Amino acid sequence: MSLPFSPEEFMISKQELELNPSSRVPICLVLDTSYSMNGEPIKELNNGVKLFMEAIRRDDIACASAELSLVTFGGEVKQLFDFGSIHRQTIPHLAVEGVTPMGAAVNHALDLLERRKSMYSDSGVDYFQPWIVIMTDGAPTDDITIAAQRTSELVSNKKLTVFPIGIGPHADMTTLHQFSPKRRPLRLKGLRFVEFFEWLSKSVSAVSQSTPGEKVKTEAVDDWAEL
Amino acid sequence: MTITHWKIANAQTAGRGHLKSNIPCQDYTYSMQENGLTILLLADGAGYAKHSHKGAEAVVKKTASLLADHFDEYFTAEDDDQLKRVIIRELHEEIKMIEGFEGDIKQYASTLLFIAIKGDQYVAGHIGDGLIGKEQDGELKVFSFPENGQFVNTTFFVTSEDAWKHFRLYKGLVGTAAGFVLMSDGTAESLFNKKEERLAPAITRMFEWLRDHPSQKISAVLANNLDAVIKEQTHDDCSIAIASLVTLDPEVLLAADNEYLRDFMGTHSRLPDERKPSNPELGQEIADGAPSE
């Protein structure tokens, strides 16, 4: 059908529009790299993180929205990178070391998140509800009370989603549950890190495309979680 | 001596996300003129709600009828909170009347934006995100800001709990305002700078187009721009409704062609529901916002 006007005459140019930054999905991975993760677990965890970052990079919308930070706890708390575009982050190689300071790691992740949220507000960047993924194969070797209180309060006020994931039979699911009053911790099926991170990347993609009021549907977790 | 009158145009289009998943456009716009009253309306159906496209249409048309019937009453009402409750109640009742209503009004959730102008008075309202802007003394200004929850994908709807508390009702005198624009959040991605709280120059151009060309044509132009340009910066549905004030010398009006005169007389617009155009022969359907898919 022909238009009742000349499109060229009545076409807005990009220069007449405003450009807003993409709305961001902040995601923090808090990963156990203590010595008990030695061998196949750390190898599969590395594979999973690599796959996750590559999958997000392949999805234009998710890549423009997702901002990843990575904190590990093995011997000491390490911040591998602060929140930023996955496109510009180097895929890390995680190595095992020492004990399991989970409480300090979660606290550090929350501090990074608070700082990022302030930056979003100051720069007029909209953001989706932040996510923290906590993965461990054991029990913390430090006090998690304050960190668990902080995450629980944020979750209760709908300001945070926590994904607590246990690895192997020795993961302390009771402790993980303390970080997440709503979403119960799930235990990884075997060493299906790759399947978990694939699910996580699809969930990030779904959220990055969601619109106000939309309830984001994530895929079933039975591929990677023991149910 | 000069003569002034408002001209109106509106359009909406399904977003890329909805086209991909075969979901209908959930934005609905409407504009009308009757008995000296000019009304723009827009509603953006909630993404999660199964029937939000029907809800958006129902609340837009019902609000149009309420404004057409009760403008003076609303303008002079002293208890705004009571008025908000009454309008929300009417809208909920209207949703329940939708054919095949499935029992949960939240499945028909939408935002609502409107402005009605009569003489030098206006009544405007806004629930949720999207934005109302105006042109005054040659400058674009935000008239009503988006209201989101803490996160970008949360907002308030006509069907939300205590919706009246999020119903921003504005009444006053038009003064030197010469243009109004309603837009959904999808359109605002391109026409509103969130950090600077600034409206895009494109809006001025749209007002000018409408002043210089027939309403029907500019509704088609707006639809074309939503599809070709605005939609590229979002995955959401996009919609817009505009009103431009035209100031004319009487001589110009005497020499104007018939199409222009129809705009001037408001006979291009029509009323929703069972209402009839004031002159059926001249009445043409420019205002109805059937979603384009």
Side-chain angles (χ1 to χ4, degrees):
Chain A
M1 195 183 81
S2 65
L3 295 168
F5 55 87
S6 152
E8 295 77 25
E9 188 190 349
F10 293 99
M11 188 60 73
I12 290 163
S13 68
K14 297 252 174 185
Q15 289 73 34
E16 293 171 287
L17 302 179
E18 295 291 346
L19 271 178
N20 288 295
S22 310
S23 301
R24 302 291 161 63
V25 188
I27 307 145
C28 190
L29 302 180
V30 185
L31 306 178
D32 186 347
T33 54
S34 62
Y35 195 75
S36 57
M37 289 286 286
N38 197 25
E40 279 301 301
I42 197 72
K43 188 178 155 200
E44 288 305 310
L45 179 59
N46 271 308
N47 283 341
V49 172
K50 179 171 180 279
L51 177 140
F52 174 68
M53 294 178 73
E54 288 173 348
I56 297 287
R57 285 174 181 174
R58 280 195 302 272
D59 180 331
D60 289 346
I61 301 162
C63 194
S65 301
E67 291 205 319
L68 188 64
S69 69
L70 178 52
V71 174
T72 60
F73 50 104
E76 59 185 9
V77 174
K78 286 184 192 154
Q79 174 189 312
L80 274 75
F81 38 79
D82 197 352
F83 287 102
S85 167
I86 291 175
H87 197 63
R88 288 195 289 272
Q89 289 166 335
T90 308
I91 292 174
H93 177 75
L94 308 176
V96 297
E97 190 183 345
V99 291
T100 317
M102 193 191 302
V106 172
N107 268 325
H108 187 75
L110 291 172
D111 292 343
L112 292 181
L113 183 59
E114 288 307 319
R115 209 169 64 200
R116 197 62 173 180
K117 280 158 63 176
S118 299
M119 195 279 282
Y120 291 151
S121 302
D122 293 345
S123 335
V125 175
D126 289 333
Y127 61 101
F128 296 89
Q129 191 179 53
W131 294 359
I132 286 190
V133 176
I134 306 170
M135 298 188 97
T136 183
D137 71 338
T141 50
D142 66 347
D143 186 359
I144 64 148
T145 313
I146 293 172
Q149 275 172 359
R150 288 177 75 188
T151 56
S152 298
E153 198 172 310
L154 289 166
V155 169
S156 301
N157 292 327
K158 297 183 176 173
K159 291 181 177 177
L160 179 70
T161 298
V162 178
F163 295 99
I165 311 292
I167 305 158
H170 304 300
D172 182 348
M173 304 304 269
T174 311
T175 297
L176 279 176
H177 203 11
Q178 290 180 49
F179 290 109
S180 175
K182 287 189 180 165
R183 185 182 290 270
R184 69 185 174 91
L186 292 172
R187 195 186 300 274
L188 202 65
K189 208 184 265 183
L191 293 176
R192 296 202 174 183
F193 288 97
V194 165
E195 287 80 358
F196 166 73
F197 279 104
E198 194 176 350
W199 172 87
L200 190 66
S201 71
K202 284 179 182 167
S203 304
V204 172
S205 295
V207 166
S208 66
Q209 292 189 44
S210 65
T211 54
E214 187 170 355
K215 195 168 178 123
V216 179
K217 285 182 190 142
T218 52
E219 292 190 5
V221 299
D222 53 353
D223 210 23
W224 58 266
E226 284 182 5
L227 297 174
Chain B
M1 189 185 85
T2 54
I3 294 172
T4 59
H5 73 110
W6 289 95
K7 291 178 70 182
I8 50 176
N10 58 296
Q12 61 271 300
T13 190
R16 290 183 288 154
H18 284 168
L19 286 174
K20 205 169 154 187
S21 44
N22 214 17
I23 293 171
C25 178
Q26 293 164 338
D27 282 11
Y28 194 87
T29 60
Y30 203 93
S31 56
M32 56 177 271
Q33 288 180 306
E34 182 200 52
N35 299 331
L37 190 64
T38 297
I39 310 178
L40 301 179
L41 308 105
L42 184 152
D44 178 355
Y48 75 87
K50 193 169 149 194
H51 302 298
S52 66
H53 58 296
K54 293 181 189 170
E57 180 177 351
V59 299
V60 157
K61 290 187 171 179
K62 182 63 181 178
T63 308
S65 289
L66 290 172
L67 290 165
D69 292 341
H70 302 289
F71 179 90
D72 296 333
E73 198 183 310
Y74 289 175
F75 186 80
T76 54
E78 288 181 359
D79 187 344
D80 280 354
D81 285 349
Q82 176 62 15
L83 177 56
K84 291 173 192 176
R85 286 194 184 93
V86 167
I87 294 174
I88 294 287
R89 194 165 57 232
E90 291 272 5
L91 296 179
H92 287 187
E93 289 308 310
E94 186 69 12
I95 290 170
K96 290 173 188 168
M97 303 281 282
I98 292 173
E99 196 179 336
F101 175 68
E102 288 182 0
D104 178 8
I105 60 166
K106 287 198 177 348
Q107 290 303 319
Y108 297 79
S110 76
T111 64
L112 176 66
L113 302 87
F114 65 83
I115 181 155
I117 303 164
K118 187 176 182 184
D120 62 348
Q121 301 171 338
Y122 70 81
V123 174
H126 190 180
I127 301 174
D129 60 12
L131 180 142
I132 305 177
K134 68 174 176 179
E135 185 186 66
Q136 189 157 22
D137 304 325
E139 274 184 49
L140 291 173
K141 293 174 183 170
V142 176
F143 180 88
S144 182
F145 283 91
E147 188 187 14
N148 283 101
Q150 190 189 355
F151 303 113
V152 61
N153 59 344
T154 54
T155 189
F156 301 96
F157 300 113
V158 167
T159 50
S160 300
E161 302 265 326
D162 289 334
W164 71 272
K165 288 183 182 168
H166 298 280
F167 185 174
R168 289 164 285 162
L169 190 65
Y170 309 91
K171 296 188 281 189
L173 299 178
V174 173
T176 52
F180 286 98
V181 56
L182 316 182
M183 65 185 85
S184 64
D185 62 328
T187 303
E189 281 295 323
S190 296
L191 298 185
F192 174 58
N193 185 312
K194 292 174 193 173
K195 187 183 176 193
E196 308 292 335
E197 298 189 342
R198 180 180 65 221
L199 291 167
I203 297 169
T204 304
R205 193 130 173 256
M206 293 173 183
F207 286 146
E208 286 303 320
W209 283 340
L210 184 55
R211 286 187 187 110
D212 296 341
H213 299 273
S215 291
Q216 192 171 18
K217 177 175 171 179
I218 297 309
S219 287
V221 164
L222 293 179
N224 192 51
N225 275 282
L226 291 181
D227 269 327
V229 187
I230 308 281
K231 203 160 86 172
E232 291 306 307
Q233 290 191 194
T234 179
H235 283 79
D236 205 353
D237 297 335
C238 296
S239 57
I240 191 164
I242 61 173
S244 286
L245 189 69
V246 180
T247 304
L248 292 172
D249 285 327
E251 287 76 20
V252 174
L253 206 57
L254 287 171
D257 62 23
N258 284 340
E259 191 164 25
Y260 193 91
L261 287 173
R262 282 182 204 133
D263 275 350
F264 177 73
M265 292 160 71
T267 47
H268 259 156
S269 62
R270 72 176 181 84
L271 285 167
D273 304 325
E274 72 285 357
R275 289 162 178 267
K276 298 284 190 293
S278 53
N279 181 341
E281 285 183 6
L282 293 176
Q284 292 183 32
E285 195 172 312
I286 63 149
D288 196 358
S292 61
E293 291 177 50

